Amino acid sequence: TLFPYTTLFRSMLKIFLTMFISPCIGVDFKYHWVTEQFISMKQQFHDIFYTLSYFTALGDPAQVSFIGGNVIAVYFFVLRILQVFRQAYQGRLFFGTALPWACIKISLGITTIIVSFLYKIFTGNVMLIAWIITATITTLYTYGFDIRFDWGLL
């Protein structure tokens, strides 16, 4: 073909669009993996919103990036938890697998974002301590989850 990137773009677009409806139609590994990658790109979403806000003067870039980046991150966390429930439905089992542990991991990620958002609104020592505790628990749990289920080392 004259433009080989057209085929690549179409297949990536198909995966991207199917990822959004995967909780309704079924979750293959590629949709699970792409959603996990978007969750990992939380900081990049903050940077995109900061840059757009800075150059378009839509408001304080720090606030816009914080709100926009977190809204997108929560969206992908919720999409991932819906995919986990769909995977449990597809496999006809939930307990005795990594799926309930994945739900806890995703819920902790959402909780950390919410507490971080509350800390920005209600500044103070109590919210700072709550945010540090939540972030620490989430980090340790996610690290343990990755070692156990993703790497299979424990």
Side-chain angles (χ1 to χ4, degrees):
T1 61
L2 185 58
F3 299 105
Y5 297 110
T6 305
T7 305
L8 177 64
F9 177 75
R10 284 184 188 148
S11 63
M12 287 174 49
L13 184 63
K14 180 181 176 191
I15 290 172
F16 185 71
L17 293 175
T18 307
M19 174 189 66
F20 290 112
I21 60 171
S22 63
C24 301
I25 62 170
V27 181
D28 290 340
F29 175 76
K30 60 186 165 190
Y31 308 122
H32 155 100
W33 185 83
V34 169
T35 307
E36 289 285 340
Q37 298 312 305
F38 277 108
I39 289 172
S40 298
M41 291 174 50
K42 182 177 180 285
Q43 185 59 45
Q44 287 77 7
F45 289 126
H46 281 279
D47 294 343
I48 289 168
F49 277 101
Y50 187 91
T51 304
L52 291 174
S53 175
Y54 181 81
F55 286 110
T56 60
L58 290 175
D60 180 21
Q63 278 187 323
V64 171
S65 71
F66 181 77
I67 293 169
N70 282 336
V71 166
I72 288 181
V74 167
Y75 172 78
F76 282 111
F77 273 119
V78 170
L79 179 65
R80 182 65 196 114
I81 209 162
L82 291 173
Q83 289 177 343
V84 167
F85 286 127
R86 178 60 189 206
Q87 286 175 304
Y89 175 76
Q90 283 174 207
R92 300 285 189 242
L93 50 110
F94 186 73
F95 298 104
T97 67
L99 297 177
W101 303 107
C103 286
I104 294 170
K105 174 184 161 186
I106 296 163
S107 299
L108 283 172
I110 292 171
T111 304
T112 302
I113 290 172
I114 291 170
V115 171
S116 171
F117 191 74
L118 291 174
Y119 170 65
K120 284 281 193 179
I121 295 171
F122 307 108
T123 57
N125 288 337
V126 173
M127 288 309 299
L128 176 62
I129 292 168
W131 178 70
I132 290 172
I133 290 171
T134 305
T136 303
I137 291 170
T138 302
T139 301
L140 293 174
Y141 185 88
T142 302
Y143 179 69
F145 180 90
D146 289 344
I147 288 175
R148 170 68 175 100
F149 294 108
D150 291 347
W151 302 343
L153 297 178
L154 293 178

